[in-house]
Amino acid sequence: MNDDYALTAETPSIRDYLRLRVSAGLSPKAEANATAGLPNTWFAVVVRKDDQAVGMGRIIGDGGLFFQIVDIAVEPAHQGRGLGKAIMTALMDQLHRDAQGAYVSLIADGEANRLYAQYGFEPTAPKSIGMAQVIR
């Protein structure tokens, strides 16, 4: 990440959150769900260029035992500049400071597993298998 970008510890605004998810190719979320969920963020970062949010990442969890890394998103025009690594480094630094002994999980979309492996994440199979469901 170069000096043109600023990373700050903050939860993204609802508008930025919804926009960044779609822009980065993640599934869209309803505004009402984002309004309810974002205040429950344990820790988050936003990357800005010229005061415009271009990347984000969040950690959710119970505050002690279990955490999940979610919403790692960088606008395509800003990818390939180390922003994903900067986001993950900030999230992992926070976990190492305040969540010793906790179980931290994530779901890797596409080729993102290569980024997450650099931070010590490993597939859980065959010992366990991640499962998910979207409530409709």
Side-chain angles (χ1 to χ4, degrees), residues 3-131:
D3 292 339
D4 292 341
Y5 296 93
L7 183 145
T8 56
E10 65 177 291
T11 300
S13 70
I14 293 165
R15 189 189 75 187
D16 286 338
Y17 174 81
L18 297 173
R19 179 182 54 76
L20 285 171
R21 280 192 61 87
V22 171
S23 175
L26 302 177
S27 60
K29 298 295 182 192
E31 184 174 340
N33 292 46
T35 300
L38 287 176
N40 298 308
T41 299
W42 183 75
F43 180 75
V45 295
V46 174
V47 176
R48 286 192 171 77
K49 181 174 173 36
D50 301 325
D51 292 324
Q52 172 76 21
V54 297
M56 66 177 177
R58 296 191 313 133
I59 302 170
I60 59 173
D62 64 12
L65 298 168
F66 297 94
F67 295 90
Q68 186 173 27
I69 294 176
V70 297
D71 300 322
I72 305 297
V74 176
E75 286 184 347
H78 300 277
Q79 291 176 2
R81 294 181 168 97
L83 302 184
K85 287 182 180 181
I87 290 166
M88 279 300 296
T89 296
L91 298 181
M92 294 304 297
D93 285 351
Q94 187 68 33
L95 287 164
H96 285 289
R97 270 192 302 276
D98 295 332
Q100 289 293 313
Y103 182 88
V104 181
S105 61
L106 56 78
I107 301 293
D109 294 335
E111 300 297 316
N113 62 309
R114 289 188 273 178
L115 170 64
Y116 303 136
Q118 295 174 43
Y119 293 88
F121 288 90
E122 301 174 347
T124 59
K127 183 178 178 184
S128 60
I129 297 173
M131 300 175 76

